[in-house]
Structures are given as C-alpha cells and as structure tokens.
Amino acid sequence: MGRLNLLLVWSLSLTLSLYYLHPISAQLSPNHYAKTCPNLESIVRQAVAKKFQQTFVTVPATLRLFFHDCFVQGCDASVLIASTGNNQAEKDHPDNLSLAGDGFDTVIKAKAAVDAIPQCRNKVSCADILALATRDVIALSGGPSYTVELGRFDGLVSRTSDVNGRLPQPTNNLNQLNSLFAANGLTQTDMIALSGAHTLGFSHCSKFASRIYSTPVDPTLNKQYVAQLQQMCPRNVDPRIAINMDPTTPRKFDNVYYQNLQQGKGLFTSDQILFTDPRSRNTVNSFASSSNVFNSNFVAAMTKLGRVGVKTARNGKIRTDCSVL
C-alpha cells in the first residue's frame, strides 16, 4: 500500500512539474480581464490607432516585436526589457538591434493608456498589451482582426544569450525554418502563413546584398527585380538605407507577398525558398490565390504563436514598467 501511495505521489508530482514546465493555454481566455479591466481592448486599440496615425512604421515594428518576443522564452514581453549594468537583455542581441523603436513605443503608449484607468492600473501584463497591439496593427493595415487570448504574465528574465539560434535568419533554407518553428510547436503551414508578415516592413540592404552581388546572381531572383534592388542598394550603400519587403503593396497587409514569391520577388533567401522548394510551393500557391485562405491560416498561426511559453503567476509577474524586470 505504501508503495502504491509513493507511486501516486510521484505520478502527481511529475504531472505538476510537466504542467509548469510547459504551461498549457487553458489559462488564456479572451475574457481574462472582463472584471478587472473591462474596456482593455478599446483602450489599447485607441492608443495603437493614435500611434499608427503618427507613423506607418508602427505596423511592421509592432508585428516583428511580437514575433521576436514569442520565439525567445515565449510570449512574455522579455524583449521589452532594457539592459542594465548587471544584465545584457534580449533587445541588445545582434538579431534584435534592428527592431524599430516604434514597436517598443507602441507598447509603452498603450501601457500608459491602460494604467491611466484606475481600475486597470498594474492589472494588465505587458505581454498581453503587446499581443493586443499586434492584432490591432494588422487590422489597421488592412489585415484580418481576430480574437486575442489573454492571461499571459510577464517574464522574470531577459538575457542576450537566450536569443542565440532561436530566430530565423534571411539565409535559412526550408529545413532550418521548419526546425525553428517546430521548436515552438508550429507546423510548416504555420511558418509559411507567418512569413506572410513580410507583406509589410523593410530590410536593410546588407541582409540580402549577397543575393544580388554574387557571381552569378541568385538564379531564383527575378532579373528585373535584381536590377531594381541594385539601383536602390548600390555597393557601399549607406547602411541606414532600408527598402520595402513587399515591392508591390508595401503598406497593405495582404496576400501579395505570396504572389511576389511566384514571380521570383522574395527579398530574402528564406522568403523565396518557400516557393522554390517543392515541399512548400503548394501552400504558397494556395495563399497566393486566395486572401481568405491566407487570412484564416495566418490568424490560426498567430493564435498558436501567442500560446508559446506562456508564463503563469508562478513564473511570471505583472510589470509596472514594461522595460524593467
């Protein structure tokens, strides 16, 4: 009997330890703040819209910030933390130095708007505000609006070293991309859908220069597109120069990104490979031919992404300042 009890205790402790190692999404709910901050979504939406009116960069900057946050230690706003003398935070990793300041500012302004309401003050996590702001910028740029699950806590750590090897690179092939996304519970279809975020935003010339100045030039690139890129990004170009990821509709969230891939106009190797590799081509063609199919897959993938590494009250907190642990 004692042995049975011991086994039961061991089994229960193992179950609990697995639960806390991999917090399930059951704690997330669209109604998480229904009683504590009932007008949360409208407060965030208004703050984001105001920032959007100031600069369109708000859109790609916030979307990219959410992705970079979730892929490193989960969706816990750890990317927002500022480095200190004792700690180099995620945002100062080389892969994160190109994150536009407008993304951070969007969250800061939305957080200030939420905390200006006495009932809501210090009740809403920075991680949830970033998730809501991301949904709102997508909708503001013509993309789908969707229900955001809420209830994330903010992370307790943010280390530069945690970023190593976690984020996709412009030179990645399909196997490398699939591996990075699978590590976060995301499928190849999810990866292709989330890559559609490159319908917005911009890139510095150095990220793709090797494709247009190699000998020979990358054969998967459209020749006319190469000429345009060389004109916009001449050799020894000012490193601050950036060009649109989507040369066709750069300020609209749409499925034109996939139509560009069909024409050899994927800016990064990691973009174009989605069409040139036969294993992913059919999905690209499907998204290119139907904005509804793309949008529904994008929303599903964003929802799954938002569940990655969710922190609980046991291993997280509600930050009063999003940039301070």
Side-chain angles (χ1 to χ4, degrees):
M1 189 69 169
R3 179 178 173 81
L4 178 60
N5 287 338
L6 185 63
L7 283 170
L8 287 171
V9 169
W10 180 83
S11 176
L12 178 61
S13 64
L14 177 63
T15 301
L16 288 172
S17 65
L18 286 172
Y19 172 81
Y20 288 121
L21 277 172
H22 306 284
I24 56 176
S25 59
Q27 74 176 74
L28 297 180
S29 164
N31 303 314
H32 183 79
Y33 297 103
K35 293 181 179 179
T36 53
C37 187
N39 296 321
L40 172 63
E41 296 204 30
S42 63
I43 296 167
V44 172
R45 189 178 294 113
Q46 287 174 26
V48 172
K50 187 175 180 180
K51 175 68 181 175
F52 172 76
Q53 289 169 356
Q54 295 169 357
T55 173
F56 183 83
V57 177
T58 300
V59 177
T62 305
L63 181 50
R64 190 161 176 247
L65 190 64
F66 180 67
F67 182 87
H68 279 232
D69 181 46
C70 293
F71 257 52
V72 181
Q73 302 298 328
C75 308
D76 64 354
S78 52
V79 74
L80 302 176
I81 296 299
S83 293
T84 64
N86 301 320
N87 180 61
Q88 281 291 103
E90 288 177 26
K91 69 183 294 187
D92 287 321
H93 187 278
D95 287 351
N96 283 334
L97 292 178
S98 61
L99 290 171
D102 287 302
F104 295 91
D105 191 50
T106 299
V107 179
I108 291 169
K109 284 185 164 57
K111 167 74 167 168
V114 170
D115 284 349
I117 308 300
Q119 182 182 2
C120 302
R121 188 170 299 141
N122 300 329
K123 301 281 179 59
V124 183
S125 69
C126 302
D128 278 343
I129 289 174
L130 175 55
L132 286 169
T134 301
R135 184 270 309 274
D136 292 341
V137 296
I138 290 167
L140 283 166
S141 56
S145 188
Y146 52 92
T147 300
V148 175
E149 297 175 335
L150 301 167
R152 301 166 188 81
F153 281 72
D154 297 322
L156 303 178
V157 297
S158 179
R159 297 178 294 249
T160 303
S161 58
D162 289 334
V163 183
N164 294 336
R166 299 281 181 89
L167 295 169
Q169 302 298 313
T171 55
N172 281 163
N173 60 34
L174 190 66
N175 289 341
Q176 291 168 321
L177 291 170
N178 279 335
S179 177
L180 285 167
F181 280 73
N184 292 290
L186 298 163
T187 66
Q188 176 174 288
T189 301
D190 295 329
M191 179 272 291
I192 298 169
L194 291 171
S195 296
H198 283 178
T199 185
L200 304 164
F202 46 84
S203 169
H204 292 97
C205 298
S206 61
K207 296 294 185 183
F208 57 87
S210 61
R211 298 188 73 201
I212 62 174
Y213 289 114
S214 58
T215 306
V217 169
D218 187 331
T220 65
L221 273 171
N222 179 296
K223 290 181 180 179
Q224 289 178 314
Y225 188 44
V226 169
Q228 292 171 2
L229 293 175
Q230 290 175 339
Q231 186 174 15
M232 291 184 286
C233 292
R235 293 181 188 274
N236 304 315
V237 67
D238 185 330
R240 293 170 297 181
I241 295 295
I243 70 162
N244 293 319
M245 294 291 299
D246 178 350
T248 312
T249 56
R251 287 183 168 233
K252 186 178 180 184
F253 189 97
D254 54 25
N255 65 333
V256 172
Y257 165 81
Y258 302 100
Q259 297 169 13
N260 291 336
L261 299 185
Q262 292 174 320
Q263 299 168 40
K265 295 180 179 180
L267 189 61
F268 294 161
T269 300
S270 57
D271 292 313
Q272 194 58 50
I273 197 67
L274 302 180
F275 183 74
T276 56
D277 194 308
R279 294 173 293 170
S280 48
R281 185 180 301 147
N282 287 343
T283 305
V284 170
N285 289 338
S286 174
F287 292 172
S289 63
S290 171
S291 58
N292 288 336
V293 171
F294 163 55
N295 285 341
S296 62
N297 277 273
F298 182 82
V299 167
M302 285 293 285
T303 302
K304 287 174 67 174
L305 177 62
R307 296 170 180 166
V308 174
V310 170
K311 304 299 185 292
T312 67
R314 288 188 80 258
N315 60 356
K317 63 185 284 191
I318 304 293
R319 286 189 216 132
T320 56
D321 181 334
C322 291
S323 66
V324 178
L325 287 172

